[in-house]
Amino acid sequence: MSDALVWHLIRDNNSFMVKRGRTSRCGNVQFSSEAGNLLNAHCFKYSGVANSKSVGLSSTLALTTSNPKAQNKPSKATTTAQLNHRVGVKKLTATVVAACASRPDLLAAAKVRVAKACAGAIRANLTHVKKSKKAVRASRRSK
């Protein structure tokens, strides 16, 4: 099926749609929690389900790309690569840019998502280290 037809079928009702109440500036806000949606926006451009070529990045820095030629084979339709935040934001961005070669319109959103995910991973790693130091100190005091 074409991407436009799939979008018209799923745009009004699907399990990934998240509706939020009215805001002061606009009406109801709609988000999407589907995999492959870089901005979590409920629109055709960013949809990972409706587009045959999609690029996704999770908060754990797992880069997922879809292969449009293998859509009828679900096990081979997506490729996932785990990225490491220790290599630096520039190398991660270069990896994501290479993955976005089939969808250059998603490049800006992918760069922003990489920077935020990398910063979150670094922050989570630092809090883990701080907690472990506190645990060591507490165990020393109790002895």
Side-chain angles (χ1 to χ4, degrees), residues 8-133:
H8 279 287
L9 292 173
I10 67 168
R11 72 177 174 178
D12 293 328
N13 291 315
N14 67 36
S15 62
F16 300 111
M17 197 161 57
V18 179
K19 292 183 179 181
R20 295 291 176 226
R22 279 185 74 79
T23 61
S24 61
R25 281 198 253 167
C26 60
N28 289 341
V29 181
Q30 294 181 351
F31 296 106
S32 180
S33 62
E34 63 195 29
N37 192 330
L38 288 171
L39 290 185
N40 295 336
H42 183 68
C43 64
F44 175 67
K45 178 179 178 179
Y46 299 109
S47 177
V49 175
N51 287 308
S52 58
K53 299 176 186 176
S54 66
V55 177
L57 186 71
S58 69
S59 59
T60 60
L61 291 174
L63 179 67
T64 305
T65 57
S66 64
N67 183 4
K69 293 181 180 178
Q71 278 189 330
N72 59 342
K73 300 171 188 164
S75 64
K76 297 178 182 179
T78 59
T79 305
T80 304
Q82 185 64 38
L83 303 177
N84 188 356
H85 71 278
R86 290 184 180 93
V87 298
V89 178
K90 286 185 180 182
K91 279 195 173 185
L92 289 176
T93 306
T95 305
V96 171
V97 166
C100 287
S102 61
R103 293 285 307 272
D105 58 327
L106 297 180
L107 191 58
K111 287 180 180 179
V112 170
R113 183 82 179 228
V114 165
K116 287 185 178 184
C118 190
I122 291 170
R123 203 173 312 120
N125 193 20
L126 289 177
T127 57
H128 176 68
V129 170
K130 287 180 184 177
K131 285 181 184 177
S132 65
K133 285 183 180 178

